[in-house]
Amino acid sequence: MFLSLRSPLCVLSYIILGLLSVVTVCGNLLVIISVMYFKQLHTPTNSLILSLSVADLLVGVLVFPFSMAFTVTSCWYHEDLFCKIRGSFDVSLSTCSILNLCCISIDRYYAVCKPLIYRTKINDHVVVIMILVCWGISALIGIGVIIAGFNQGKCEGSCLLDALISTTMGCIFAFYIPVIIMLSIYLKIFLVAQKQARSIQNTKSGATVSKLERKATKTLAIVLGVFLLCWTPYFICMIFQPLLYLSTPVAVIETLNWFTLSNSMLNPFIYAFFYSWFRSAFRMIISGKIFQGDFANSKL
């Protein structure tokens, strides 16, 4: 049973979920401004991080409000159009996040495993194509799911559940297969990095570059790990639910869904914790220093 719009619990829910939305938007906005403003951060890897942050920012702007309304009031007052719009944004942006993470894993593979050809294989032109493909496929999937009948019929308390059951195959192609690919790539990177660490006999500068690449890879692997931690319970529930003919309570689905949405809030904190240059950039933006002069070429 969903909450009354005037109940204290309803108001508290809106406040808490609203704060999550604000933190998500502000955190990812810091990442976006940092990458766009500071020239030191103009790298192929950070361009992909920028794309991921834009997807996470849109989750905070577009998905959070719809999800808040659904969690607190259900779809009773919005009929099926409400759920269709929510489902479209949710599917599109989650797919975009996954595809961006796939591209980041490919970038890290070339940076660590094939450093000599990294700059020729992963350049600005290639990164732009990667980003366009990510967003293009995500938009098509979001539109296609609606056209294929996502959330058709009257929208009742179980509309989200019915939609999730109808998209089981979508879970496999949009989540499980990309995740298996990413895990395989990071396993390969880990093995190569371990081999490099044992046999490195290069110059000091070469060793430093290799160490920086491995640190970047480790941080981005943590981003992937947090993503899996947030998303896997949701997709496990979705994949087994129709197979076992079980009807999962909407409250459980909503809890898992909010766990997945929280991933969009966590990534900026990971960057700030592991990257000193992101911390420096965040401090300069929050303090307003970048508005007091031209600091685009600052050493972070």
Side-chain angles (χ1 to χ4, degrees), residues 28-294:
N28 285 286
L29 197 58
L30 283 174
V31 176
I32 293 169
I33 294 173
S34 297
V35 175
M36 293 182 67
Y37 181 81
F38 295 102
K39 292 184 179 180
Q40 183 183 335
L41 301 180
H42 292 181
T43 65
T45 304
N46 287 338
S47 295
L48 293 171
I49 290 176
L50 173 64
S51 179
L52 177 62
S53 294
V54 170
D56 288 338
L57 174 71
L58 290 177
V59 168
V61 172
L62 299 176
V63 179
F64 270 70
F66 284 113
S67 294
M68 280 191 290
F70 182 90
T71 298
V72 179
T73 67
S74 184
C75 297
W76 289 105
Y77 309 108
H78 307 277
E79 298 188 350
D80 62 327
L81 179 61
F82 176 83
C83 284
K84 286 183 179 181
I85 295 174
R86 183 215 188 187
S88 179
F89 284 143
D90 208 341
V91 171
S92 297
L93 294 174
S94 62
T95 300
C96 190
S97 293
I98 294 171
L99 293 179
N100 274 298
L101 286 170
C102 278
C103 291
I104 289 173
S105 67
I106 293 171
D107 168 85
R108 291 297 84 204
Y109 171 78
Y110 278 100
V112 175
C113 301
K114 300 183 182 294
L116 297 179
I117 62 172
Y118 172 69
R119 294 189 181 278
T120 58
K121 291 291 185 181
I122 309 295
N123 51 47
D124 291 338
H125 179 69
V126 172
V127 168
V128 169
I129 293 175
M130 283 181 169
I131 292 173
L132 290 176
V133 169
C134 288
W135 285 91
I137 292 176
S138 301
L140 289 175
I141 289 176
I143 296 170
V145 166
I146 297 297
I147 296 174
F150 188 74
N151 286 347
Q152 290 296 319
K154 290 293 181 181
C155 184
E156 298 177 352
S158 62
C159 68
L160 178 61
L161 180 61
D162 295 335
L164 292 169
I165 293 176
S166 69
T167 55
T168 299
M169 293 306 294
C171 293
I172 294 174
F173 287 102
F175 180 78
Y176 288 102
I177 292 177
V179 163
I180 290 172
I181 292 172
M182 284 188 283
L183 290 176
S184 299
I185 291 174
Y186 274 107
L187 177 60
K188 173 66 175 177
I189 293 172
F190 175 76
L191 295 175
V192 171
Q194 289 293 100
K195 184 178 180 180
Q196 289 177 348
R198 288 194 300 265
S199 62
I200 196 164
Q201 296 176 350
N202 219 330
T203 62
K204 182 178 180 181
S205 60
T208 301
V209 171
S210 180
K211 182 179 179 180
L212 289 173
E213 292 291 1
R214 289 200 300 273
K215 181 181 179 181
T217 301
K218 179 181 178 180
T219 301
L220 294 170
I222 291 173
V223 171
L224 173 61
V226 172
F227 177 87
L228 291 175
L229 183 65
C230 292
W231 280 89
T232 301
Y234 177 85
F235 277 101
I236 287 177
C237 178
M238 292 310 102
I239 202 70
F240 283 108
Q241 180 177 253
L243 297 177
L244 299 176
Y245 300 99
L246 296 176
S247 179
T248 306
V250 176
V252 174
I253 299 295
E254 283 300 292
T255 300
L256 293 177
N257 187 59
W258 276 105
F259 199 47
T260 66
L261 294 179
S262 68
N263 177 245
S264 297
M265 177 186 67
L266 295 174
N267 286 340
F269 291 99
I270 297 174
Y271 303 141
F273 185 79
F274 286 98
Y275 287 135
S276 59
W277 50 86
F278 269 116
R279 287 198 299 273
S280 299
F282 290 175
R283 281 196 295 267
M284 293 179 71
I285 295 170
I286 294 173
S287 66
K289 188 175 180 180
I290 63 172
F291 301 108
Q292 301 170 9
D294 185 6

Side-chain angles (χ1 to χ4, degrees), residues 3-19:
L3 302 173
S4 169
L5 288 172
R6 296 181 179 179
S7 71
L9 189 56
C10 172
V11 175
L12 180 61
S13 298
Y14 268 120
I15 292 174
I16 294 174
L17 299 179
L19 287 174

